[in-house]
Amino acid sequence: MVDHCFAARPMITDDARIIDPQSCQVESWVKSSKDSEEYWALPACNPLGFFELTLGGSKIHSQDPTDSSGRVVQAKTVFRELKPNDWAIGFALGRNYHLATSELASHHDVYGYIPVTWSLNNDQQFLHLNLGAIKSQIDSVLRKTWGFGAEIEITPRAFLIAETYGVDGVKPSYQAGVRYWLQLNKFQVDLTTGGNASYSSENRWFSIGIRLLLGN
């Protein structure tokens, strides 16, 4: 995971849901830390009713010469739809293409994961679990990925979110914040802060983003 798969903004841990048939969404955000600025845009659509296709990318300005801008393509489906006080499960497969930097040539990652979501208290809380794997073109090593997240309703328009996620061999990351519907089920804004398990201020980030739903 670690920014290789994408849930409803601003969570990295994905949910076992897809957008409505024949509809689209646009998610865009800025992520800022001491040494880098990331600008993301991820449009997604559900053209046939049974899968969600995401195609987008990032522009990154970083002091780390191995950090690169990139392109993302992902397909996701659900095998069991989420209902109140029930659970859902799905599958996602994607490719993350990294543009060349001064240190690394262009390369890509291929990843897949299984998202599971539980609805609690009539959709007032959600729990999300992701289990998957990622393989990088650089070393051809297959690494396990994981994520666990929660959404808690404050009001019909506002949710608290919190999550932790990681990849084998890398310190886990965490994130917490809030998202708010400016227009219910149409336009959402979010604000989060996060970091990794080193708890160093140099490894903390802040993020602000939007989510726009189009169509049905």
Side-chain angles (χ1 to χ4, degrees), residues 77-98:
T77 190
V78 292
F79 306 122
R80 177 187 170 103
E81 293 187 3
L82 187 63
K83 298 178 181 179
N85 305 309
D86 203 351
W87 62 278
I89 188 169
F91 177 71
L93 184 67
R95 183 175 183 269
N96 193 0
Y97 182 77
H98 305 275

Side-chain angles (χ1 to χ4, degrees), residues 52-213:
E52 179 182 289
L53 180 64
T54 300
L55 180 62
S58 65
K59 180 68 174 178
I60 298 178
H61 303 285
S62 175
Q63 297 181 26
D64 185 342
T66 64
D67 284 344
S68 68
S69 302
R71 305 290 181 266
V72 176
V73 59
Q74 176 180 289
K76 175 179 149 186
T77 190
V78 292
F79 306 122
R80 177 187 170 103
E81 293 187 3
L82 187 63
K83 298 178 181 179
N85 305 309
D86 203 351
W87 62 278
I89 188 169
F91 177 71
L93 184 67
R95 183 175 183 269
N96 193 0
Y97 182 77
H98 305 275
L99 303 181
T101 70
S102 59
E103 294 288 327
L104 296 174
S106 297
H107 62 282
H108 66 264
D109 306 325
V110 176
Y111 63 87
Y113 60 93
I114 297 172
V116 184
T117 294
W118 292 268
S119 165
L120 306 173
N121 297 320
N122 297 314
D123 287 349
Q124 293 185 51
Q125 294 94 38
F126 297 97
L127 299 178
H128 310 296
L129 174 67
N130 289 183
L131 296 174
I134 184 169
K135 186 175 183 180
S136 173
Q137 183 183 21
I138 292 179
D139 56 18
S140 295
V141 175
L142 188 68
R143 295 181 174 86
K144 291 182 289 186
T145 64
W146 60 271
F148 182 74
E151 302 175 67
I152 301 172
E153 182 181 301
I154 309 170
T155 74
R157 290 180 178 266
F159 280 81
L160 292 176
I161 68 103
E163 64 177 338
T164 182
Y165 54 92
V167 179
D168 274 359
V170 180
K171 290 183 177 180
S173 297
Y174 62 90
Q175 183 174 212
V178 63
R179 59 185 179 205
Y180 183 81
W181 289 105
L182 291 177
Q183 184 178 356
L184 277 175
N185 300 318
K186 288 294 183 181
F187 185 62
Q188 189 179 78
V189 296
D190 57 74
L191 180 66
T192 65
T193 182
N196 63 36
S198 67
Y199 298 107
S200 168
S201 61
E202 295 183 357
N203 295 315
R204 292 191 62 82
W205 70 77
F206 297 90
S207 171
I208 185 170
I210 63 170
R211 181 185 181 210
L212 178 63
L213 297 176

